[in-house]
Amino acid sequence: MKIAFISDIHGNAIALDAVLEDIRKKAADRVYVLGDLCYRGPDPKGVLERVRSLNTKVIKGNADEWAVRGVRPGEVPDHVLELMNRERDWTVSRLDQQDIDYLTALPTELRLDVEGVSINAFHATPDSLFDIVVPGAGDDVLQAKLMSAGKADIYIYAHIHKPYIRYMEGKILMNTGSVGLPFDGLARASYAIVEVSEGTIGTSIERVPFDIEKAIRQYEDEQYPNAEMMARILRNASVK
């Protein structure tokens, strides 16, 4: 059984199409989505339509929560709060009430059993859509933040836009990275694959090229409120 985990699409339908095509080529049996579907990208409606057409399990990310109810003081630095809510308002203007209802109702955790291998997947941590757990965190932090909600063989999360795989005490910990807005300096969409076959477990991070300049033109053509900064992030694959 080969399973793809995708996340942090952020309204980038061009990157999502490239990733879904790569998943098809790799003949994955299932695809699961770990949140952050629409907000901060130029095509929120298109992404939501594509995700819903997968007919798969989808969980909520912090950006989905923001799309539903806005960004609150204390959740982001004060100097970007107004801008991020303008971006949120722009995103919601491209959606309808059915879309908002769909985002509102998304669950926050996914538990799977794949041929006897247990997988626990969530967006940021099992207890929060917003906590940030970085790749270089110590084993004690990773265990406390990511592995405390229940026993599993594999723990998968997203949120930080920086993919990695680590092994601790017989467990596997993976971050999917981001489909639409990678932050690790490699300007390619990122997603994770888990393959289980007769007791063997394979894990990988896949990096997929997409037409970055076309995505940037979408931001500009759609008059996205923060198009210049988003273009810089896409080209550099970094928020710095």
Side-chain angles (χ1 to χ4, degrees):
M1 176 74 69
K2 183 184 292 187
I3 304 174
F5 293 87
I6 67 175
S7 189
D8 294 86
I9 305 161
H10 288 287
N12 188 341
I14 292 169
L16 178 59
D17 286 343
V19 163
L20 292 177
E21 177 60 24
D22 194 68
I23 289 170
R24 282 190 287 269
K25 289 178 179 177
K26 290 183 169 66
D29 299 290
R30 298 179 189 171
V31 183
Y32 295 110
V33 187
L34 306 188
D36 282 9
L37 309 182
C38 303
Y39 175 57
R40 301 213 92 179
D43 191 4
K45 185 74 170 182
V47 164
L48 196 52
E49 289 173 347
R50 287 162 172 80
V51 167
R52 296 182 74 171
S53 73
L54 295 174
N55 294 314
T56 190
K57 292 181 179 179
V58 181
I59 62 175
K60 184 185 290 186
N62 63 295
D64 307 310
E65 182 71 5
W66 282 339
V68 169
R69 48 82 163 167
V71 186
R72 294 172 179 169
E75 293 177 338
V76 298
D78 290 344
H79 69 279
V80 299
L81 179 63
E82 181 183 354
L83 173 59
M84 291 187 69
N85 271 313
R86 273 195 279 126
E87 293 180 72
R88 180 263 177 181
D89 292 345
W90 182 95
T91 300
V92 171
S93 75
R94 267 61 180 178
L95 304 176
D96 57 34
Q97 189 58 48
Q98 187 179 35
D99 299 326
I100 297 300
D101 292 344
Y102 173 81
L103 295 174
T104 301
L106 289 175
T108 58
E109 192 174 15
L110 180 63
R111 290 187 177 273
L112 306 170
D113 185 284
V114 183
E115 298 182 18
V117 175
S118 56
I119 300 174
N120 184 200
F122 38 86
H123 182 72
T125 74
D127 302 318
S128 171
L129 298 176
F130 299 93
D131 282 356
I132 295 173
V133 182
V134 298
D139 286 3
D140 56 338
V141 173
L142 296 177
Q143 289 172 338
K145 290 283 191 178
L146 303 176
M147 304 168 70
S148 61
K151 293 183 179 180
D153 299 306
I154 304 173
Y155 299 86
I156 305 177
Y157 77 114
H159 188 48
I160 61 173
H161 298 219
K162 295 181 178 182
Y164 71 92
I165 302 173
R166 279 174 66 171
Y167 307 90
M168 291 183 296
E169 298 184 1
K171 309 297 184 181
I172 300 171
L173 177 63
M174 303 180 69
N175 188 285
T176 64
S178 172
V179 169
L181 288 172
F183 287 173
D184 63 347
L186 180 57
R188 292 178 175 232
S190 175
Y191 73 98
I193 284 180
V194 174
E195 187 167 8
V196 181
S197 178
E198 298 180 352
T200 297
I201 302 172
T203 57
S204 63
I205 301 295
E206 308 296 321
R207 304 307 295 258
V208 182
F210 66 93
D211 193 334
I212 290 172
E213 296 305 318
K214 184 177 180 181
I216 289 171
R217 288 195 298 274
Q218 271 196 327
Y219 276 107
E220 295 167 346
D221 292 345
E222 295 296 326
Q223 297 183 317
Y224 189 80
N226 199 13
E228 185 176 346
M229 189 188 84
M230 302 311 292
R232 184 171 67 252
I233 291 173
L234 278 178
R235 289 190 178 111
N236 298 332
S238 173
V239 291
K240 297 180 180 179

